[in-house]
Amino acid sequence: MEIKEILFPVLSLGGLGLLFGLLLGFANDKFKVEVDERIPKVRECLPGANCGSCGFAGCDAYAEAVVNGEAKPNLCNPGGSSAASNISEILGISVEMGDPVVAYVHCNGTCNNAKTKSIYYGVKDCNMAMNTPGAGNKSCDFGCLGFGSCVKACKFDALEIVDGVAKVNKDNCVACGACVNACPKGIISIVPKETKVLINCNSHSKGKEVMDACSVGCIGCGLCAKNCPKEAITMVNNLPVIDYSKCVNCGICANKCPKHCIENLRKPVNKTTPTAKAPVAKVEATPNVKSENNVEATKSTEIKSEPKDEVKVDINAKTSEAVEVKEIETSNDKENNSTEVSHPNEDKLEK
């Protein structure tokens, strides 16, 4: 084999590669799309969950929308306040931070509370169970099926099935909304994290139907709405709905609910009962210990002794005056006596 047979193919392929590289470089400069340098910086501030809670397809789409002014910087629930503050610093704007929110499952139909109508042997998935006749094994058509579709959808390990009902771990929940979209019954919603009063039922049936299906279901009596002092509860399709902008977490609605289907997370106030006073033991007075009676006695004696001293002073003053008067009288008497004695001698001399 000659060298020419190898050299010419190598040179031809190398030349074609060089030519195509130059053409691609020219096309890149000619048709390039300018990207705002702030978009990748904003993207780095996001957690990358791609959950869609912001309303966009993913974190890349949200970052681009924020830089272009099409979305607010505080819509990322998984990122929270830290992501919003970092984005606001990059964009040079101020952002008002909202209250933290979490997901909540509006159902208390546990294995002991909710009645079953059949035995389910299918795939342990809520969406699959909804496609079977009867839509699950529980009698309540609005309750949690307990097959964990929400648990599978959560990327932050914030949900678990406890006694046949999904429960949210508030410490891990970032309110991404993935569980809300995954639940076929629509019993999961996003609520303020600091709220203390929550509706623990999702049934829209009437009283008897609810009681036949679940022992703790809402019967739609409306006592919670009637007794709410802030008018924060309204009855919608036989179910109370709380307006958290008006709710003050007083807990009156939970106390008035006859079925106890309103969860009250407020700390109970311990009412102290009045205790009987123990009898006071009598203490004998001793020379070294002064009792209350002795103190009062000494005070009374002191009060009484003060005027006596004043009287004594007055008496002494009067007695001194009387002594002086007596001395004056005795001196006068002596003078009179002396004058009387001198008179008879004078008469004798005259004679």
Side-chain angles (χ1 to χ4, degrees):
M1 182 181 291
E2 296 181 359
I3 298 177
K4 294 181 180 180
E5 294 178 0
I6 300 174
L7 184 60
F8 287 122
V10 172
L11 292 175
S12 62
L13 290 174
L16 290 173
L18 181 61
L19 178 62
F20 289 146
L22 293 173
L23 291 174
L24 291 174
F26 175 76
N28 185 29
D29 294 335
K30 184 68 176 178
F31 303 104
K32 69 176 180 180
V33 178
E34 294 183 358
V35 179
D36 195 332
E37 60 181 5
R38 297 176 297 175
I39 293 177
K41 293 181 180 180
V42 172
R43 177 62 183 84
E44 291 177 358
C45 298
L46 301 175
N50 293 320
C51 57
S53 62
C54 57
F56 295 88
C59 295
D60 293 333
Y62 176 62
E64 185 177 356
V66 170
V67 173
N68 295 333
E70 299 174 359
K72 295 181 180 179
N74 58 354
L75 297 181
C76 181
N77 291 325
S81 59
S82 60
S85 60
N86 294 332
I87 293 172
S88 62
E89 290 179 2
I90 294 172
L91 301 178
I93 58 176
S94 59
V95 180
E96 294 182 359
M97 300 306 301
D99 297 331
V101 292
V102 293
Y104 183 78
V105 181
H106 298 274
C107 181
N108 195 25
T110 61
C111 297
N112 295 327
N113 296 332
K115 299 178 182 179
T116 57
K117 59 184 177 181
S118 62
I119 300 174
Y120 180 76
Y121 290 103
V123 180
K124 298 298 181 180
D125 184 82
C126 299
N127 292 289
M128 295 294 292
M130 287 293 292
N131 295 325
T132 60
N137 61 339
K138 291 186 177 181
S139 299
C140 181
D141 296 332
F142 304 93
C144 177
L145 295 175
F147 295 139
S149 294
C150 54
V151 177
K152 297 174 185 177
C154 182
K155 299 178 181 180
F156 301 95
D157 195 21
L159 279 160
E160 61 179 343
I161 303 298
V162 179
D163 198 11
V165 177
K167 296 295 182 181
V168 179
N169 185 354
K170 291 184 177 181
D171 296 332
N172 296 341
C173 182
V174 295
C176 63
C179 57
V180 177
N181 299 327
C183 181
K185 293 292 187 76
I187 64 174
I188 305 177
S189 65
I190 305 298
V191 299
K193 188 175 183 178
E194 300 300 327
T195 188
K196 302 299 181 183
V197 180
L198 298 158
I199 306 298
N200 215 0
C201 184
N202 190 52
S203 176
H204 296 282
S205 301
K206 294 183 179 179
K208 187 178 183 304
E209 297 178 1
V210 176
M211 295 177 68
D212 291 340
C214 183
S215 61
V216 292
C218 177
I219 58 177
C221 63
L223 289 176
C224 53
K226 294 176 183 178
N227 289 278
C228 181
K230 300 297 181 180
E231 298 181 355
I233 301 177
T234 55
M235 298 299 296
V236 179
N237 197 7
N238 298 326
L239 188 69
V241 178
I242 299 177
D243 184 359
Y244 292 106
S245 62
K246 298 179 181 179
C247 181
V248 295
N249 297 318
C250 62
I252 295 176
C253 56
N255 296 330
K256 295 294 182 179
C257 180
K259 302 296 291 183
H260 305 288
C261 62
I262 300 179
E263 187 173 6
N264 187 5
L265 301 178
R266 298 173 70 250
K267 293 181 179 179
V269 179
N270 295 326
K271 295 182 180 180
T272 58
T273 56
T275 56
K277 294 182 179 180
V280 180
K282 294 182 179 180
V283 180
E284 295 181 358
T286 58
N288 295 328
V289 181
K290 290 184 179 181
S291 62
E292 294 181 357
N293 296 329
N294 291 335
V295 173
E296 292 179 358
T298 53
K299 289 182 179 179
S300 61
T301 53
E302 289 176 357
I303 294 169
K304 291 180 180 180
S305 62
E306 290 178 356
K308 287 182 179 180
D309 295 337
E310 293 178 356
V311 172
K312 287 180 179 180
V313 172
D314 294 338
I315 291 169
N316 293 329
K318 289 180 180 180
T319 52
S320 61
E321 290 178 358
V323 170
E324 291 178 357
V325 171
K326 285 182 180 181
E327 290 178 354
I328 294 169
E329 288 178 354
T330 51
S331 62
N332 291 331
D333 291 337
K334 288 180 181 180
E335 291 178 357
N336 292 329
N337 291 330
S338 62
T339 52
E340 288 177 359
V341 172
S342 62
H343 285 297
N345 294 328
E346 288 179 358
D347 292 338
K348 288 180 181 180
L349 293 173
E350 287 179 356
K351 289 179 180 182

